[in-house]
C-alpha cells in the first residue's frame, strides 16, 4: 500500500471514528431486540482544492441483546456485519467495522478517481468526481420468531441521479440462521404468491383496479414475483421492490403488503 493510501485509511479511522448512541428496544412480538446505533459522517476530498469529494453518512443499529441464547445473538451480529460491510469485517468490533468500511470506501474513491483527475488537470469537469454514500441499517420487524433487518442505501457516483436500494435480511430468533421464502412457504408457493402480490398491488394503488391499469401506470406486471426481499410484522409480510425492478425509476421503490390471513394457504 502506498503512503497516500495508508494516510487515507489512517485519517478516516482517527477523525471519522464511529460514535455510539444508546439503542432502542424493538419488539413487535414476545421477542425483543435491543440495539446500539453507530454513526459516521465524513467528507473526503480528492484534491487540495476541495472541488471534488466523497461524502459518507453511515449509520447502523447493531443488536446487543435479544430474547434468545447468546449463540443466536452472535450469529445474527456476524451476519449483519458481513451483509453490511463484507466478510473481512465480520470479526471486528461494531465500531471498528464501521470505521474500516468507511476507510475502504475512502481508499477506493481515491484509487478510482485520482488517475483521471490528474489526466484532466485544470479542465472543467463539473461534479464528475463527486460521490455520495448514505446508509441507514436497522431492525424493521420482529414477528413469529423472525427478525427483519433492513439496509437502506443511497449511492451517487455521477450522472443524472443517484440510486436508492433497500436490502432486507431475515433471521431466526431460535437458531440465528437466515430465513428465506422457502423456509416460510410450501413447495409450490411461487405461482400462487405471484398472484397474491399482483392483487395486493392493485388493491393498494390508486387509479388501478386491473392489471391493465397497473401497466398503464408503468408497472411491469410479469416482473412482480417473489424476490426474497421482505420484512415481517405482526400483521403480515411486506415485499420490497427497488426502482427499475418492477417499474420505472420515476415510480421509486414499491412496497407490497400481504396479511398473514391472505398467506395462510401457502404457509408451512
Amino acid at each position: 500500500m502506498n503512503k497516500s493510501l495508508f494516510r487515507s485509511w489512517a485519517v478516516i479511522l482517527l477523525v471519522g471514528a464511529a460514535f455510539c448512541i444508546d439503542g432502542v428496544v424493538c419488539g413487535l412480538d414476545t421477542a425483543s431486540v435491543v440495539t446500539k446505533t453507530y454513526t459516521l459522517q465524513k467528507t473526503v476530498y480528492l484534491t487540495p482544492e476541495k472541488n471534488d469529494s466523497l461524502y459518507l453518512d453511515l449509520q447502523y443499529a447493531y443488536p446487543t441483546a435479544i430474547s434468545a441464547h447468546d449463540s443466536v445473538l452472535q450469529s445474527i451480529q456476524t451476519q449483519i456485519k458481513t451483509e453490511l460491510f463484507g466478510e473481512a469485517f465480520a470479526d471486528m468490533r461494531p465500531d471498528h467495522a464501521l470505521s474500516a468500511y468507511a476507510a475502504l470506501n475512502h481508499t477506493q474513491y481515491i484509487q478510482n478517481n485520482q488517475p483521471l483527475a490528474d489526466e484532466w488537470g485544470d479542465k472543467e469537469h463539473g461534479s464528475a468526481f463527486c460521490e455520495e454514500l448514505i446508509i441507514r441499517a436497522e431492525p424493521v420487524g420482529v414477528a413469529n420468531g423472525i427478525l427483519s433487518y433492513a439496509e437502506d442505501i443511497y449511492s451517487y457516483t455521477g450522472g443524472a441521479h443517484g440510486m436508492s436500494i433497500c436490502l432486507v435480511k431475515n433471521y431466526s430468533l431460535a437458531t440465528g440462521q437466515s430465513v428465506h421464502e422457502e423456509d416460510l412457504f410450501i413447495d409450490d408457493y411461487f405461482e400462487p404468491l405471484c398472484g397474491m402480490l399482483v392483487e395486493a398491488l392493485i388493491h393498494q394503488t390508486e387509479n388501478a383496479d386491473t392489471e391493465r391499469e397497473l401497466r398503464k401506470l408503468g408497472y411491469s406486471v410479469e416482473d412482480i414475483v417473489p424476490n426474497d426481499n421482505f420484512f415481517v410484522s405482526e400483521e403480515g409480510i411486506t415485499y420490497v421492490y427497488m426502482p427499475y425492478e418492477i417499474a420505472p425509476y420515476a415510480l421509486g421503490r414499491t412496497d407490497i403488503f400481504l396479511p398473514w390471513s391472505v398467506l395462510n394457504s401457502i404457509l408451512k
Side-chain angles (χ1 to χ4, degrees):
M1 181 180 294
N2 64 42
K3 292 182 180 179
S4 64
L5 294 184
F6 176 81
R7 285 196 295 269
S8 296
W9 277 75
V11 168
I12 202 165
L13 280 168
L14 294 174
V15 179
F19 297 94
C20 301
I21 304 172
D22 288 340
V24 297
V25 177
C26 305
L28 305 177
D29 200 39
T30 54
S32 62
V33 179
V34 180
T35 64
K36 177 175 283 188
T37 299
Y38 296 89
T39 65
L40 184 151
Q41 289 183 319
K42 177 70 176 178
T43 299
V44 176
Y45 294 102
L46 184 62
T47 63
E49 293 76 24
K50 297 185 177 181
N51 295 323
D52 306 292
S53 64
L54 165 66
Y55 174 66
L56 296 169
D57 183 357
L58 313 177
Q59 177 176 300
Y60 81 117
Y62 185 72
T64 57
I66 59 176
S67 52
H69 195 275
D70 285 349
S71 63
V72 172
L73 174 62
Q74 292 169 6
S75 176
I76 293 174
Q77 288 174 332
T78 298
Q79 291 178 80
I80 285 175
K81 285 184 289 185
T82 300
E83 294 291 343
L84 280 171
F85 309 127
E87 290 186 6
F89 306 91
D91 294 329
M92 292 184 180
R93 281 175 32 182
D95 52 341
H96 290 178
L98 183 63
S99 294
Y101 177 73
L104 176 61
N105 278 273
H106 178 177
T107 299
Q108 290 177 337
Y109 170 70
I110 301 297
Q111 288 179 328
N112 293 339
N113 293 288
Q114 191 68 63
L116 187 55
D118 291 342
E119 182 180 331
W120 285 11
D122 296 330
K123 293 180 181 178
E124 179 62 36
H125 57 263
S127 59
F129 301 118
C130 287
E131 299 183 8
E132 291 183 35
L133 177 61
I134 301 172
I135 295 177
R136 296 290 183 269
E138 61 184 350
V140 290
V142 181
N144 297 330
I146 297 171
L147 165 67
S148 296
Y149 192 93
E151 179 182 2
D152 285 294
I153 307 168
Y154 171 80
S155 62
Y156 176 78
T157 56
H161 56 72
M163 186 65 180
S164 296
I165 63 172
C166 176
L167 303 176
V168 186
K169 298 298 179 182
N170 293 284
Y171 305 102
S172 167
L173 292 174
T175 67
Q177 300 303 306
S178 296
V179 176
H180 301 280
E181 289 166 348
E182 57 266 27
D183 301 313
L184 296 180
F185 302 125
I186 61 176
D187 291 343
D188 298 326
Y189 75 90
F190 191 84
E191 290 300 328
L193 187 50
C194 288
M196 294 175 187
L197 288 165
V198 172
E199 287 298 319
L201 182 58
I202 291 172
H203 179 73
Q204 71 183 43
T205 304
E206 292 184 9
N207 304 317
D209 295 321
T210 64
E211 288 187 18
R212 182 178 180 181
E213 289 171 340
L214 277 182
R215 294 182 188 277
K216 285 183 178 180
L217 292 174
Y219 288 100
S220 177
V221 174
E222 60 274 11
D223 292 329
I224 303 174
V225 299
N227 63 357
D228 209 33
N229 199 38
F230 64 89
F231 61 88
V232 301
S233 69
E234 288 186 317
E235 292 76 27
I237 289 178
T238 300
Y239 272 85
V240 180
Y241 297 90
M242 298 304 99
Y244 298 121
E245 192 171 359
I246 62 173
Y249 178 85
L251 288 180
R253 163 179 157 177
T254 300
D255 290 3
I256 304 179
F257 171 72
L258 296 169
W260 292 116
S261 58
V262 170
L263 294 164
N264 272 339
S265 62
I266 60 171
L267 288 172
K268 284 185 177 179

